[in-house]
Amino acid sequence: MTPLVSIENVDMRYGGAAGTLAVSNLNLKVAKGEFAAVVGPSGCGKSTLMKLVTGLQIPQAGDVIVAEKQVTKPVSIVGMAFQNPTMLPWRTTLENILLPLEIVEKHRHRLRANKKQYVAKAEKLLEIVGLGGFGGKFPWQLSGGMQQRANLCRALIHEPELLMLDEPFGALDAFTREELWCVIRDLHAAQGVTIILVTHDLREAVFLADRIFVMSARPGRVIRDREVPFARPRELEIMYEKGFNDMVQALHGEIAKARVAA
Amino acid sequence: MTEIVKLSPSAKPLMQRIDWVKAAPFVYTIALFLAWELLVLALAMPQTVLPAPTRVFQAVVQYWSPIWKNSLQTLYTTTLGFIIAVVAGLAIGLFIGWSKTIYAGLYPLMVGFNAIPKVALVPILVIWFGIGTVPAVLTAFLISFFPIVVNVATGLATIEPETEDVLRALGARKMDIMLKVGIPRSMPYFFGSLKIAITLAFVGSVVSETVASNYGLGNMMSSAQSQFNVPLVFAGLLMLAVEGIAMYALMAWVEKRMTGWAHRSTMAN
């Protein structure tokens, strides 16, 4: 089966020929329906990876192929969520979630006529992430964790084939973070969406992902591609098992080595 | 139990029942006039130098007909110039904020233009349009549109990159991002700038009326000054202050009505 996302020998340099090389000789493949995590020292080009896959940046060398098409412009089959929830404060939570539908070519012309269906869909998503009944609230009336849940809904409303998450839980407290891990885990199981998660949190990566890519310091490339062997569905208790901790520790060592090499 | 009843709010002494924060603007204004009155009395100021507030209020009553007419004229020129400034400022602000190149190219020009004292432009406007209402309206416009432009452009230029990324990844065009994010986002800046702009518009219209008009408070005050009718000059100033406060309050109210979401701390509860 051809992978949904395939990055081959990609070089990406910012700011002209003399600029910084963000990633170099990057290779990475993510299969359809897979949950991939990308970890690495800070400044290893994880955000660049996000921009390459979504088509916000076009690499100088190499190929980025998403859904069997070479990426030359933004691909609209993705949903994105960042650490900063970036909800628009003048829209209610529900209106914020519907925003992608006003943009994506496939939906924008149908939105007005089928408003009811779309609103029902948004409310169902809110229900799934545990925000049922909060659609009418403004984002600044929600807590940080609730905003991040709404942010996930917005990323999923147009039924993307690929979900890109850039440290979405970085700013949350430990308990809220664990709750949202379970939300993401269940979404992935229920919707069959492919997810690429960029994170600093190794436990998060091991708990959620099927496959973990370890990146080197700048210029970034993949130095290790690990499969996560634990069976699904995974419960939070798995984090206290030996195999889990051994894997986290091994990853920790690899990243520490990558930092020193820089 | 009876003692508790005695302490209910209505039984409090008068001084405690007054909401001093709400009363403060009036108390302070009265205090200012009182201090002014006492100062004039204590120094035995002649009214051709500094008339006492009672004398100024007397002048307001005495010359009510010309004061009223000229106040309306000034209000008219100021408001008209201000409205043109709002429309033009919004349009130019959106244009400048649209792209980094336009922003970089036009910004120094705007700053240079803003540095010119607008009173220096009045003679040119008189050559073009003659004396009267038109130069006053245009001066009010020229002086007040700059803060609107800068604020709208700033609102557009400071869109969070993440928001832009999320939308661009969905295939949003520049126009989509402007309509969905940029323009609503710049509205608090825009409405905030109206308060500054309306105050400046008064400066512009009065300056122009003083130099080159036969109507308006500026003209009335300069002719009163040439007749040493100092109480009337102060009466004109008083009317300007009243008009300025009224328009400022109106703009503050509009701002609050239109962009309540930007004052989230007051709406959170």
Side-chain angles (χ1 to χ4, degrees):
Chain A
M1 196 171 87
T2 49
L4 182 69
V5 178
S6 162
I7 296 179
E8 285 164 23
N9 307 320
V10 163
D11 285 3
M12 179 72 210
R13 191 188 287 277
Y14 289 111
T20 40
L21 195 57
V23 298
S24 170
N25 200 16
L26 184 68
N27 283 286
L28 183 158
K29 279 184 176 47
V30 179
K32 198 167 167 51
E34 198 169 35
F35 197 136
V38 179
V39 297
S42 57
C44 69
K46 289 181 297 221
S47 297
T48 303
L49 176 74
M50 294 275 292
K51 290 190 172 172
L52 287 170
V53 174
T54 50
L56 292 173
Q57 296 281 358
I58 307 302
Q60 280 92 6
D63 297 313
V64 179
I65 296 162
V66 175
E68 294 169 33
K69 270 193 225 114
Q70 178 97 22
V71 174
T72 52
K73 61 175 174 47
V75 283
S76 60
I77 61 153
V78 291
M80 287 174 104
F82 293 94
Q83 176 172 347
N84 177 355
T86 62
M87 294 270 126
L88 306 178
W90 56 89
R91 287 169 166 245
T92 63
T93 305
L94 188 74
E95 287 167 342
N96 262 294
I97 293 170
L98 293 174
L99 180 66
L101 301 176
E102 296 169 25
I103 305 287
V104 173
E105 209 54 54
K106 196 168 75 174
H107 298 286
R108 65 192 298 167
H109 305 294
R110 304 182 48 221
L111 183 60
R112 194 165 297 193
N114 303 299
K115 184 94 184 197
K116 259 199 191 131
Q117 282 173 29
Y118 284 116
V119 168
K121 199 162 120 192
E123 273 166 354
K124 198 168 157 230
L125 270 175
L126 280 169
E127 199 85 40
I128 293 174
V129 301
L131 274 185
F134 281 94
K137 294 255 190 244
F138 284 93
W140 36 267
Q141 293 172 315
L142 306 181
S143 69
M146 288 159 96
Q147 285 191 32
Q148 203 51 266
R149 288 164 199 251
N151 193 14
L152 287 176
C153 292
R154 184 177 62 183
L156 287 167
I157 186 73
H158 58 292
E159 292 175 357
E161 289 177 51
L162 177 63
L163 185 58
M164 302 291 294
L165 304 173
D166 189 352
E167 293 191 47
F169 315 123
L172 303 175
D173 67 274
F175 287 102
T176 312
R177 203 179 306 164
E178 285 180 4
E179 258 172 56
L180 284 180
W181 288 352
C182 296
V183 168
I184 284 279
R185 174 197 66 191
D186 298 342
L187 277 172
H188 176 244
Q191 318 242 332
V193 61
T194 310
I195 302 181
I196 299 181
L197 168 74
V198 168
T199 182
H200 275 122
D201 188 334
L202 300 179
R203 287 154 39 106
E204 175 175 306
V206 177
F207 177 68
L208 286 171
D210 301 314
R211 180 182 292 281
I212 299 176
F213 297 99
V214 181
M215 285 182 75
S216 69
R218 183 180 297 148
R221 63 193 165 77
V222 174
I223 51 174
R224 191 75 202 264
D225 174 354
R226 274 174 176 275
E227 291 217 25
V228 182
F230 311 117
R232 291 180 183 278
R234 297 173 192 160
E235 295 304 324
L236 286 170
E237 283 69 42
I238 193 180
M239 289 192 282
Y240 303 103
E241 282 171 19
K242 183 157 188 326
F244 187 93
N245 283 311
D246 287 347
M247 184 149 188
V248 170
Q249 199 175 4
L251 280 169
H252 189 274
E254 278 159 17
I255 291 171
K257 218 187 288 166
R259 275 168 62 100
V260 171
Chain B
M1 286 303 278
T2 46
E3 273 167 0
I4 292 169
V5 173
K6 266 185 202 158
L7 287 172
S8 70
S10 61
K12 274 189 194 168
L14 179 69
M15 295 301 276
Q16 280 179 32
R17 262 188 288 150
I18 296 172
D19 182 348
W20 286 106
V21 174
K22 276 212 175 115
F26 303 99
V27 174
Y28 279 64
T29 310
I30 292 166
L32 172 72
F33 281 119
L34 269 180
W36 176 3
E37 184 84 35
L38 288 175
L39 187 74
V40 171
L41 281 178
L43 299 176
M45 284 274 190
Q47 67 164 10
T48 46
V49 178
L50 180 66
T54 42
R55 182 68 191 89
V56 175
F57 286 120
Q58 200 189 328
V60 171
V61 177
Q62 188 183 347
Y63 302 104
W64 179 247
S65 166
I67 286 176
W68 176 243
K69 268 187 217 148
N70 287 311
S71 296
L72 280 187
Q73 170 69 17
T74 300
L75 190 62
Y76 162 67
T77 52
T78 307
T79 315
L80 192 58
F82 173 71
I83 291 171
I84 301 173
V86 168
V87 175
L90 199 53
I92 298 173
L94 292 177
F95 179 68
I96 290 183
W98 189 268
S99 94
K100 289 224 162 69
T101 318
I102 302 175
Y103 190 85
L106 280 182
Y107 205 81
L109 283 180
M110 303 281 304
V111 172
F113 175 78
N114 192 46
I116 300 170
K118 299 303 171 296
V119 64
L121 294 177
V122 177
I124 299 171
L125 294 175
V126 171
I127 293 173
W128 289 348
F129 302 104
I131 64 163
T133 308
V134 181
V137 170
L138 287 179
T139 316
F141 155 65
L142 288 173
I143 205 169
S144 62
F145 93 108
F146 187 75
I148 301 178
V149 170
V150 170
N151 277 283
V152 172
T154 307
L156 291 182
T158 51
I159 299 176
E160 292 94 343
E162 287 100 340
T163 313
E164 220 176 325
D165 281 352
V166 167
L167 296 182
R168 281 211 304 137
L170 295 169
R173 291 179 293 249
K174 184 86 184 170
M175 191 66 171
D176 291 324
I177 294 175
M178 280 293 160
L179 285 177
K180 305 285 181 202
V181 185
I183 293 175
R185 215 187 109 75
S186 66
M187 284 301 108
Y189 296 87
F190 167 68
F191 285 109
S193 73
L194 293 189
K195 290 188 292 192
I196 305 165
I198 188 68
T199 320
L200 286 174
F202 273 107
V203 173
S205 60
V206 172
V207 158
S208 177
E209 282 169 0
T210 309
V211 183
S213 181
N214 294 324
Y215 311 101
L217 284 173
N219 171 255
M220 187 193 81
M221 281 153 61
S222 78
S223 35
Q225 175 253 342
S226 64
Q227 296 157 18
F228 272 97
N229 191 347
V230 182
L232 182 55
V233 176
F234 273 86
L237 289 177
L238 195 65
M239 290 311 288
L240 275 177
V242 170
E243 287 189 358
I245 292 172
M247 292 304 279
Y248 186 95
L250 180 66
M251 291 310 132
W253 178 78
V254 168
E255 181 190 11
K256 205 160 182 192
R257 276 301 298 272
M258 301 302 287
T259 54
W261 56 266
H263 302 268
R264 55 189 89 167
S265 60
T266 56
M267 286 182 66
N269 296 315

